[in-house]
Amino acid sequence: MASQGIVKIFVVGGTGAQGISVISGLVRDKKYQARVLTRNSTSPRARQLESLGNVEFIEGSFASEYDLRRGYRGCDGAFINIDGFNCGEKTETYWAIRAYELAIEEGIKFFVYGNLDYGYKKSGYDPKYLCGHYDGKGRIAEWVLFQNQFNQGRMRAAVFTSGPYIEMTIAIGTPMSPTVEDGIVTWRVPLGSGAIPHVSLDDCGYYVRWMFDNPDRANGLDLEVAIEHVHYEDLARAFEAVTGHPARFIDEDLDNYWARGPLSMAAELGGGYNSDPSDPAFMTVRENFTGFWNLWRDSGKNQGIIKRDYKLLDEIHPNRIRTAEQWFRVANEQGLKDGGVTLWERVQPGNMRPILKLAEDGMKGSL
């Protein structure tokens, strides 16, 4: 698309953690312009995006046909990543479908859907692995790729499947936020011998930019990305190697995790903070993230339920981050460059900052 000159991409989810990286990747050399749908164009995250240049805003909601049409009109491409924590699995399903249909109506040429693994299906529909914010996206991703078989004459489409950001391992308000216990950085999570295919946010920006730069190859592709399948004993060793300070992984059982883990205070709240507790589709945070952790417990060594094609990722992004230790080193160097804060200092009580918009907003958003 970029070969045709500057093109405009409509982005839903642009002020989220992934969205900021994606937009940065698109506009870094001014070959693309981004139009971002946001509830508040003066928020700190919106101002961060505005400072990049080649970014404009439309205030509104993804749950509005009028706002989606305004966003699409005059754009060439779209990157749609709906916040499932905002609305819940049921509402996200409807609006993701409408987002695709309206994109065709409004003349979008290339549509990229921001996705997560359909773990429920990949497990053989075992209810142990139900995870609303993953399965809600995964169903739509398959639907988008199926529709793409018939609609390529008007609009081509691809799917970008990410996963838990590795930045979440050193941030507050995430399922794997660490603690410091007796001077030891500690991840108490119910992972066992499993592994999480963590994703680097910077790499997300690279991959999505590659998709828009190469629409012929990306068309019909579900690009599933990760750094590596990170086992948390390896994560702790990597942290020690980079910082020189002790770290450990403690395999916590689910009962203890929900009693005192990083999400314990929100366990009985809705997985979607605008979802209706009286709706049969309602899931609590506990229900949602129990399936989440079960997925990773059974995905060790890239041989379980959730897999990645690392050979393909090496081809697409030869300079990608490949290990947790490599990412920790980059993060430590960047912290020193930005403000003299080491990785060790960054995880101390009172120093950890949110990476997820959900944690930053305090579950106060609206449709």
Side-chain angles (χ1 to χ4, degrees):
M1 295 181 70
S3 62
Q4 301 168 9
I6 293 176
V7 294
K8 186 173 287 188
I9 310 297
F10 176 52
V11 180
V12 171
T15 59
Q18 185 181 129
I20 290 172
S21 174
V22 166
I23 292 168
S24 298
L26 288 172
V27 305
R28 66 175 186 269
D29 54 6
K30 311 306 179 188
K31 288 186 177 180
Y32 292 91
Q33 297 175 348
R35 175 184 290 164
V36 181
L37 181 67
T38 179
R39 295 187 301 270
N40 181 2
S41 61
T42 63
S43 71
R45 288 183 178 230
R47 292 189 182 279
Q48 179 182 348
L49 288 173
E50 187 177 32
S51 70
L52 299 173
N54 272 26
V55 178
E56 65 181 49
F57 298 96
I58 288 181
E59 287 196 340
S61 167
F62 64 79
S64 162
E65 291 198 7
Y66 173 74
D67 292 336
L68 288 172
R69 289 184 189 277
R70 283 196 301 145
Y72 286 134
R73 203 155 292 161
C75 288
D76 309 280
F79 178 77
I80 307 299
N81 187 20
I82 292 176
D83 180 5
F85 290 115
N86 180 306
C87 57
E89 182 180 3
K90 188 174 180 179
T91 300
E92 179 181 7
T93 298
Y94 174 81
W95 284 107
I97 289 173
R98 287 302 286 144
Y100 174 86
E101 294 170 337
L102 293 171
I104 293 179
E105 281 193 37
E106 294 296 335
I108 295 298
K109 300 304 180 187
F110 189 56
F111 179 98
V112 177
Y113 177 69
N115 184 43
L116 293 167
D117 287 277
Y118 191 178
Y120 179 47
K121 179 180 179 180
K122 290 182 176 182
S123 74
Y125 300 101
D126 186 333
K128 172 182 176 182
Y129 304 101
L130 275 171
C131 178
H133 77 288
Y134 268 61
D135 299 328
K137 288 186 181 300
R139 294 185 189 100
I140 296 301
E142 292 198 348
W143 181 86
V144 165
L145 294 179
F146 178 77
Q147 296 299 319
N148 188 54
Q149 298 176 38
F150 307 97
N151 296 324
Q152 294 186 45
R154 296 182 65 181
M155 181 179 79
R156 294 181 291 177
V159 168
F160 176 67
T161 301
S162 61
Y165 314 128
I166 195 165
E167 288 83 354
M168 292 163 62
T169 66
I170 57 169
I172 196 169
T174 82
M176 59 282 297
S177 295
T179 55
V180 180
E181 304 174 15
D182 299 322
I184 304 172
V185 175
T186 305
W187 287 274
R188 290 182 177 270
V189 292
L191 187 57
S193 60
I196 300 178
H198 274 302
V199 178
S200 160
L201 283 171
D202 285 345
D203 283 352
C204 286
Y206 181 97
Y207 287 123
V208 173
R209 171 63 185 262
W210 176 88
M211 296 176 87
F212 282 105
D213 281 348
N214 300 275
D216 292 337
R217 183 172 178 194
N219 180 45
L221 177 67
D222 180 359
L223 182 58
E224 300 176 319
V225 305
I227 292 172
E228 65 171 340
H229 276 60
V230 180
H231 295 260
Y232 269 38
E233 288 183 353
D234 295 336
L235 182 80
R237 281 194 290 266
F239 187 92
E240 286 187 345
V242 171
T243 67
H245 292 277
R248 63 185 173 181
F249 156 58
I250 295 177
D251 181 28
E252 196 77 280
D253 67 49
L254 280 166
D255 287 340
N256 286 334
Y257 178 81
W258 288 116
R260 53 178 177 264
L263 300 181
S264 58
M265 297 296 290
E268 304 311 320
L269 298 178
Y273 50 81
N274 285 302
S275 55
D276 180 1
S278 67
D279 191 318
F282 180 83
M283 291 184 79
T284 64
V285 168
R286 180 197 299 266
E287 291 168 334
N288 183 75
F289 281 98
T290 292
F292 172 92
W293 283 112
N294 285 336
L295 272 180
W296 310 132
R297 285 182 70 91
D298 292 334
S299 294
K301 299 181 180 179
N302 201 24
Q303 296 175 355
I305 294 171
I306 306 300
K307 301 182 181 71
R308 293 291 184 259
D309 183 349
Y310 290 108
K311 183 177 179 181
L312 174 63
L313 299 181
D314 288 343
E315 177 191 343
I316 290 173
H317 189 0
N319 296 319
R320 70 180 185 87
I321 299 291
R322 287 177 168 81
T323 67
E325 181 174 337
Q326 184 184 0
W327 185 83
F328 279 145
R329 291 195 184 280
V330 171
N332 191 58
E333 291 169 5
Q334 191 64 48
L336 289 170
K337 179 180 178 182
D338 291 343
V341 179
T342 67
L343 191 59
W344 169 251
E345 293 167 329
R346 188 169 167 179
V347 300
Q348 298 306 302
N351 287 353
M352 278 198 298
R353 296 291 179 261
I355 187 68
L356 300 177
K357 192 171 188 293
L358 173 70
E360 188 173 294
D361 288 349
M363 299 179 75
K364 296 180 294 187
S366 63
L367 295 178

